[in-house]
Amino acid sequence: MRYLTAGESHGPQLTTILEGVPAGLELTTEMINSELVRRQKGYGRGRRMQIEKDQVQILSGVRHGFTLGAPITLVVQNNDFKHWTKIMGADPISAEEQEEVKRKLTRPRPGHADLNGALKYGHRDMRNVLERSSARETTVRVAAGAVAKCILGELGIKVGGHVMEIGGVKAEKIDYHSIEELQEITEASPVRCLDKEAGEKMMRAIDKAKEDGDSIGGIVEVIVEGMPIGVGSYVQYDRKLEAKLAAAVMSINAFKGVEIGIGFEAAEQPGSLVHDEILWDEENGYTRRTNNAGGFEGGMTTGMPIIIRGVMKPIPTLYKPLQSVDIDTKEPFKASIERSDSCAVPAASVVAESVVAWELAEAILEQFGHDRMDAIKENIKRHKEYTKNF
Ligand code: EPS
């Protein structure tokens, strides 16, 4: 299974084509829209989110609520495009129109893709970079992730996510009994935080950043329950599922680091406290006493919950000006902007769930078959029996 996305932030629409989704998967517009809505919510977003009301159109590969096995095309219109038709149109515009448009960007924002992207592709107008590097693209990554979640859901694999930290405010570790309970609590929190008190403090931190014309980042965690044992492989570097997940999370806009299980904390502990002891019982087969490995050993799943965290840096588009250089005049300047989010960590937690779901669904299909959902279900059932009695 693979997918590509296309589309600019202020262009007409975002598109993704999903290739290799098995036939016979229940999939509706509503199932995808409910995920798009989750990404759009979240305390700290700017005015753009009031303009957009993301709704997917399924343009191929699905008929009467079930996938056909054919490529699935998903599109989401950008409502904001109506304000940008001249600036973002595909066809050439006249000199007078260019004069009218006048939105050439020559002042790179520190922390954004602007300068490196302009140098790489030779764009003197950095709008050509920012339009595609914008996190608006994550809309269709969430749409793709929604399809992956449907695949996992039919196989009894559940994905949840939450925000652990925003702008230095850390959530206390709160126990939850099931992914459903985690989802219920985080859905009710404007910052997707399990710890209500910390959530309030996070909102105040976002207010403060906004007042100061600044932005703040944070840490999100994704948890996946129900993965069969032994998905992924140790035999080749590019088949290690843990590495694929890390790459997927790192590919989210503004993400700068990933941890699995206890992650960096493993450096501080002896092996006897880090490694998860192996148990066996008739009902559950092989399990672990602890889950410090976050569901992975040797690039393969252990059958324990997958736990992966990612850190998002503060958004680089700031009201508070930072020093930069105009690429036309080479003069220094201090940039200020028209519109930005002060914090997009809650939205990023939904994106993280989506990209993790995609990688896991892809790994499942690679191991258990690509064509039909009913055959994949059978194969997994057999595999579970096999591993239990191994
Ligand atoms: C973004 C800048 C803002 C965000 C945008 C990502 O958009 P604009 O430049 O139109 O104000 O709102 O995020 C989204 C539109 C979205 O759907 O998440 C950026 O530069 O990355």
Side-chain angles (χ1 to χ4, degrees):
M1 210 168 59
R2 63 199 160 117
Y3 74 106
L4 286 177
T5 74
E8 278 73 42
S9 178
H10 303 98
Q13 70 180 37
L14 298 152
T15 307
T16 181
I17 298 184
L18 318 180
E19 154 69 22
V21 177
L25 173 73
E26 191 182 356
L27 185 66
T28 63
T29 306
E30 187 37 48
M31 285 166 159
I32 301 174
N33 281 344
S34 60
E35 288 295 308
L36 296 183
V37 169
R38 294 180 68 230
R39 194 198 71 96
Q40 284 209 284
K41 288 194 295 194
Y43 201 76
R45 302 306 299 275
R47 289 198 306 279
R48 176 74 186 273
M49 281 307 98
Q50 287 150 28
I51 300 172
E52 304 299 341
K53 295 279 168 281
D54 293 338
Q55 300 264 300
V56 77
Q57 282 174 278
I58 305 177
L59 296 185
S60 74
V62 183
R63 185 162 180 246
H64 301 160
F66 286 91
T67 55
L68 304 176
I72 297 174
T73 310
L74 306 177
V75 309
V76 176
Q77 308 290 334
N78 286 323
N79 287 343
D80 208 13
F81 177 61
K82 56 180 175 288
H83 308 121
W84 296 76
T85 46
K86 270 206 187 127
I87 302 167
M88 290 306 296
D91 287 324
I93 54 173
S94 67
E96 299 87 76
E97 278 175 319
Q98 270 182 27
E99 200 41 41
E100 208 184 309
V101 165
K102 262 201 184 140
R103 293 290 278 262
K104 188 175 168 194
L105 294 177
T106 57
R107 298 176 153 198
R109 289 160 293 175
H112 219 283
D114 301 346
L115 180 60
N116 308 328
L119 284 165
K120 178 171 171 68
Y121 291 102
H123 292 311
R124 302 298 312 174
D125 180 354
M126 286 183 295
R127 175 155 302 286
N128 295 338
V129 178
L130 78 88
E131 284 292 339
R132 180 63 188 155
S133 63
S134 163
R136 176 76 186 141
E137 184 258 0
T138 60
T139 307
V140 279
R141 296 195 81 190
V142 169
V147 176
K149 281 186 179 183
C150 290
I151 298 175
L152 298 177
E154 287 204 11
L155 305 172
I157 301 163
K158 295 172 191 163
V159 183
H162 64 120
V163 169
M164 295 183 67
E165 186 172 335
I166 287 182
V169 179
K170 293 180 184 17
E172 289 292 325
K173 194 175 165 358
I174 304 260
D175 284 333
Y176 52 89
H177 300 101
S178 63
I179 293 274
E180 286 83 0
E181 188 187 332
L182 174 132
Q183 282 164 337
E184 207 176 296
I185 302 171
T186 51
E187 237 34 69
S189 160
V191 282
R192 297 198 165 280
C193 184
L194 274 169
D195 176 350
K196 204 160 186 259
E197 216 172 288
E200 296 289 335
K201 286 189 192 146
M202 287 173 186
M203 286 192 271
R204 300 296 77 81
I206 294 169
D207 292 340
K208 170 88 172 52
K210 197 171 176 184
E211 260 167 53
D212 295 348
D214 223 322
S215 61
I216 46 180
I219 296 176
V220 302
E221 181 173 83
V222 179
I223 300 122
V224 185
E225 285 181 3
M227 278 294 282
I229 302 183
V231 181
S233 180
Y234 62 94
V235 302
Q236 200 60 268
Y237 68 92
D238 60 353
R239 293 181 60 192
K240 295 185 181 189
L241 183 52
E242 205 172 6
K244 289 183 188 176
L245 278 194
V249 172
M250 279 296 281
S251 77
I252 304 170
N253 308 53
F255 272 60
K256 297 298 275 184
V258 180
E259 276 189 328
I260 291 176
I262 60 167
F264 279 55
E265 221 185 286
E268 296 160 22
Q269 306 282 351
S272 55
L273 293 181
V274 167
H275 302 301
D276 305 308
E277 289 183 316
I278 300 171
L279 312 171
W280 187 89
D281 69 74
E282 213 152 310
E283 199 193 331
N284 302 300
Y286 295 97
T287 57
R288 304 305 172 103
R289 198 183 301 283
T290 48
N291 186 25
N292 293 335
F296 281 103
E297 275 171 353
M300 299 163 293
T301 51
T302 61
M304 294 296 283
I306 291 174
I307 297 173
I308 181 163
R309 285 180 292 282
V311 55
M312 183 188 199
K313 70 184 180 183
I315 283 170
T317 312
L318 299 180
Y319 290 91
K320 191 179 218 161
L322 278 186
Q323 185 72 56
S324 182
V325 175
D326 188 308
I327 61 163
D328 276 356
T329 64
K330 309 288 185 289
E331 291 295 326
F333 75 96
K334 286 211 160 193
S336 68
I337 51 93
E338 298 157 32
R339 181 168 89 183
S340 180
D341 304 325
S342 351
C343 179
V345 175
S349 112
V350 178
V351 181
E353 285 175 34
S354 308
V355 301
V356 165
W358 182 272
E359 289 307 320
L360 294 181
E362 146 61 17
I364 290 267
L365 299 192
E366 191 188 326
Q367 203 148 322
F368 300 104
H370 284 97
D371 297 338
R372 303 180 349 241
M373 281 307 292
D374 58 348
I376 295 163
K377 277 182 209 168
E378 264 313 303
N379 288 344
I380 290 189
K381 202 170 140 204
R382 221 173 301 126
H383 175 80
K384 281 192 172 162
E385 280 304 310
Y386 157 80
T387 50
K388 198 163 128 183
N389 300 312
F390 184 77

